[in-house]
Amino acid sequence: MMRYRLYIDGAWQEASTGTYFDVTNPADGLVVGQAADGGKEDVTKAVDAASKAFPGWSRKTARERGELLARVYDGMMNRKEEMARLMTLEQGKPLAEARGEVQYAADFFQWYAEEAKRIYGETIPANSPDKRIWVQHQPVGVAAAITPWNFPAAMITRKAAPALAAGCTMVAKPAEQTPLTAALLAEIMEEAGIPAGVFNLVTGTRAAEIGDALLEDERVRKLTFTGSTEVGKTLMKKAADTVKRISLELGGHAPYLVFEDADLEKAAKEVLASKFRNAGQTCVCTNRVYVHRSIKEEFADLLARYTGEMKVGPGLEEGVQIGPLIDQAALEKVERHVRDAEAKGARVMVGGRAVPAEGSGCFFEPTVLLDTTEEMLVEQEETFGPVLPVHVFDTEEEALTLANNTRFGLAAYLYTRDLSRAVRISESLEYGIVGVNDGMPSTVQTPFGGVKESGLGREGGRYGIEEYLETKYISIGLK
Ligand code: ADP
């Protein structure tokens, strides 16, 4: 059976506890492998290694760092199929999606391998002929990354690639549900020649202990986190004690506004692609649809028809589009949301039930609910499952108010052929990402991130590297 130790200072090491934990397949509950159960002591060792590696790594030229990052990209491409299969086994997503994620994850290394060379400074005209003003950027230092299970590879590379490109070193803690993909990634980084201590991986089940050790260590200068808003808030408070730089990618509650002039076939396909990716378990997944009353029936019928055709099953099975939810608690939340909507008057167009599965598989039918309202849980919270609530609106203002009436602000979408409406609505949506006639806006070169309680900072593109850079002003007297 596959068994991974911790990766610290360029070596695979036993955890200080001497123990391992099981990683299970959400499609059947069977054990896929084991990872070392790290704790506080291991974090200290990893931060020691990252601090020791920092001077050498940060002083390499950007070109040297870029060349190593490009080798990580190549390594991920060489082992793409292996990583995709492992990801499907421990996370559940359909194999085609896992392959897509490995490519997306690797692309961050390719993109930042190039961007490392473009960390430009500035000169500013001084007030005196005897002075010169320089502004330059330097890496923040040791960065800690805490990542979730829904994108086991990409949520690490979206942080590690820009951090390493900038000259930072890193200690990463992956989610306890998906440590094996993370360990494989560390192995690829080792094989690519990333020097010892530059990237360290501490897996473990005691998330709070590991998180606290990272946050309390004053040598860690940056925390980058993707996960729930609740945990993000706790980490933000704890980061205050040592005034760490922080980036937070937290929950979303994405609305999709479909106007009466939309091409309904295309709009339905975009909505469903955005909704059902990863069985609805992404923070940018459409969580609620607002449709104009005049097209309500026709649009809901299309959604229901396409949804009813989707194949549910284990991710390794041919043609499966909806895999299992990550665990029993996730399944229960989806069930609760659907029952609540039904009780409050929503119509179940298709789906609506958990799928009986062998072992302890966590499958739920892809579901479309019509005539949902703001009183229902599905419109208040992130469902993080394959449920699509459809809410009817009459005016553009009403749709916009409903879309913005949330404490979240990550991604929002709209479908219309009216250009001025598209501009007007995009600019009025209180969200960090807006997809106009596009349900899948994420790519490596663009700024990904939210406003309000969806987070702080941006990942991806030239914005993503700024999170790992300090600005230094150097004033030079010439007299
Ligand atoms: P999700 O609901 O998606 O599982 P979480 O926010 O619980 O999201 O988890 C995201 C990451 O945060 C995981 O790596 C998890 O282990 C970690 N985590 C959870 N609780 C804490 C904590 N108290 N301190 C530090 N990390 C935590």
Side-chain angles (χ1 to χ4, degrees):
M1 187 173 53
M2 178 179 303
R3 201 180 216 213
Y4 271 109
R5 286 171 287 176
L6 307 178
Y7 184 63
I8 296 175
D9 206 10
W12 293 90
Q13 310 188 6
E14 295 281 337
S16 53
T17 57
T19 56
Y20 288 80
F21 63 99
D22 287 343
V23 181
T24 54
N25 181 344
D28 54 21
L30 298 179
V31 176
V32 177
Q34 289 189 322
D37 202 2
K40 186 175 167 43
E41 259 180 65
D42 303 299
V43 170
T44 305
K45 270 165 70 178
V47 177
D48 288 346
S51 307
K52 197 176 72 186
F54 178 71
W57 181 249
S58 59
R59 280 192 214 115
K60 276 192 190 300
T61 64
R63 185 184 170 131
E64 288 170 324
R65 287 198 300 271
E67 279 168 1
L68 286 165
L69 296 191
R71 292 183 52 161
V72 179
Y73 172 81
D74 292 341
M76 289 184 76
M77 288 299 92
N78 290 338
R79 300 179 75 177
K80 183 173 175 179
E81 193 59 21
E82 178 188 354
M83 184 178 271
R85 285 184 172 271
L86 180 58
M87 186 186 290
T88 292
L89 281 176
E90 71 174 348
Q91 198 272 340
K93 67 178 65 182
L95 186 57
E97 284 189 35
R99 289 184 183 126
E101 182 184 337
V102 177
Q103 184 65 56
Y104 173 62
D107 284 348
F108 283 105
F109 276 100
Q110 187 188 57
W111 204 87
Y112 284 108
E114 294 157 2
E115 190 64 4
K117 292 174 253 177
R118 288 187 274 274
I119 300 172
Y120 301 138
E122 193 180 22
T123 63
I124 298 175
N127 286 340
S128 139
D130 304 324
K131 280 196 174 191
R132 297 292 182 274
I133 295 172
W134 287 356
V135 177
Q136 71 183 52
H137 300 288
Q138 292 183 317
V140 170
V142 176
I146 299 179
T147 58
W149 49 262
N150 61 345
F151 289 94
M155 293 305 98
I156 301 178
T157 64
R158 193 157 81 178
K159 300 172 185 323
L164 269 50
C168 293
T169 55
M170 179 168 269
V171 178
K173 192 216 79 82
E176 51 275 36
Q177 294 89 340
T178 57
L180 303 177
T181 306
L184 177 54
L185 181 65
E187 200 174 279
I188 291 170
M189 289 169 80
E190 178 188 24
E191 283 166 8
I194 298 289
V198 170
F199 180 81
N200 307 275
L201 186 74
V202 179
T203 52
T205 53
R206 292 187 303 280
E209 179 185 321
I210 295 172
D212 287 353
L214 286 166
L215 285 165
E216 283 160 14
D217 199 316
E218 58 190 25
R219 297 171 299 172
V220 174
R221 294 312 316 147
K222 161 90 191 176
L223 168 73
T224 171
F225 171 77
T226 299
S228 61
T229 296
E230 188 194 351
V231 173
K233 286 180 184 177
T234 308
L235 299 182
M236 190 173 177
K237 284 178 193 148
K238 289 181 177 166
D241 286 338
T242 49
V243 195
K244 292 192 202 317
R245 292 265 306 257
I246 46 176
S247 306
L248 304 172
E249 296 286 356
L250 309 176
H253 187 30
Y256 207 129
L257 280 51
V258 181
F259 290 95
E260 61 275 24
D261 61 15
D263 177 325
L264 296 191
E265 292 267 344
K266 286 187 185 159
K269 287 190 173 141
E270 285 296 327
V271 166
L272 297 178
S274 155
K275 169 72 261 181
F276 291 120
R277 193 157 62 110
N278 207 1
Q281 303 172 109
T282 91
C283 47
V284 293
C285 273
T286 293
N287 211 44
R288 43 203 174 115
V289 167
Y290 297 99
V291 65
H292 190 264
R293 189 175 302 278
S294 63
I295 54 167
K296 155 187 158 174
E297 292 296 337
E298 198 184 340
F299 191 62
D301 285 345
L302 273 177
L303 290 176
R305 185 164 91 228
Y306 294 144
T307 300
E309 290 165 0
M310 297 186 95
K311 184 171 173 194
V312 183
L316 288 182
E317 218 174 274
E318 194 61 33
V320 160
Q321 292 154 293
I322 308 267
L325 292 167
I326 191 69
D327 55 24
Q328 210 58 38
L331 192 68
E332 279 159 22
K333 182 176 188 190
V334 171
E335 182 86 47
R336 193 164 65 245
H337 278 200
V338 173
R339 297 288 82 84
D340 169 79
E342 234 182 352
K344 291 175 181 159
R347 197 161 103 210
V348 180
M349 300 283 290
V350 66
R353 305 262 155 218
V355 182
E358 283 184 33
S360 53
C362 307
F363 298 92
F364 199 90
E365 294 170 348
T367 300
V368 177
L369 302 171
L370 187 59
D371 290 324
T372 59
T373 62
E374 275 193 296
E375 288 69 53
M376 300 175 187
L377 288 175
V378 276
E379 288 202 24
Q380 289 166 12
E381 296 173 15
E382 194 176 32
T383 306
F384 236 59
V387 177
L388 186 62
V390 181
H391 182 135
V392 178
F393 72 83
D394 289 298
T395 66
E396 188 179 302
E397 296 67 44
E398 184 193 356
L400 194 57
T401 304
L402 287 163
N404 283 337
N405 188 20
T406 168
R407 61 195 173 95
F408 297 108
L410 187 54
Y413 309 93
L414 61 139
Y415 214 106
T416 177
R417 282 183 290 209
D418 179 335
L419 179 62
S420 47
R421 171 184 273 156
V423 172
R424 196 163 60 235
I425 302 276
S426 309
E427 292 181 354
S428 308
L429 282 165
E430 295 160 4
Y431 287 82
I433 302 166
V434 175
V436 179
N437 304 342
D438 179 11
M440 305 272 271
S442 298
T443 75
V444 297
Q445 67 271 39
T446 54
F448 184 105
V451 301
K452 294 158 100 178
E453 292 185 27
S454 285
L456 290 175
R458 294 293 179 270
E459 294 189 316
R462 68 184 170 82
Y463 306 91
I465 205 163
E466 288 169 8
E467 304 282 328
Y468 299 94
L469 293 168
E470 287 290 5
T471 298
K472 181 174 279 179
Y473 156 43
I474 301 175
S475 179
I476 304 165
L478 300 177
K479 273 211 208 125

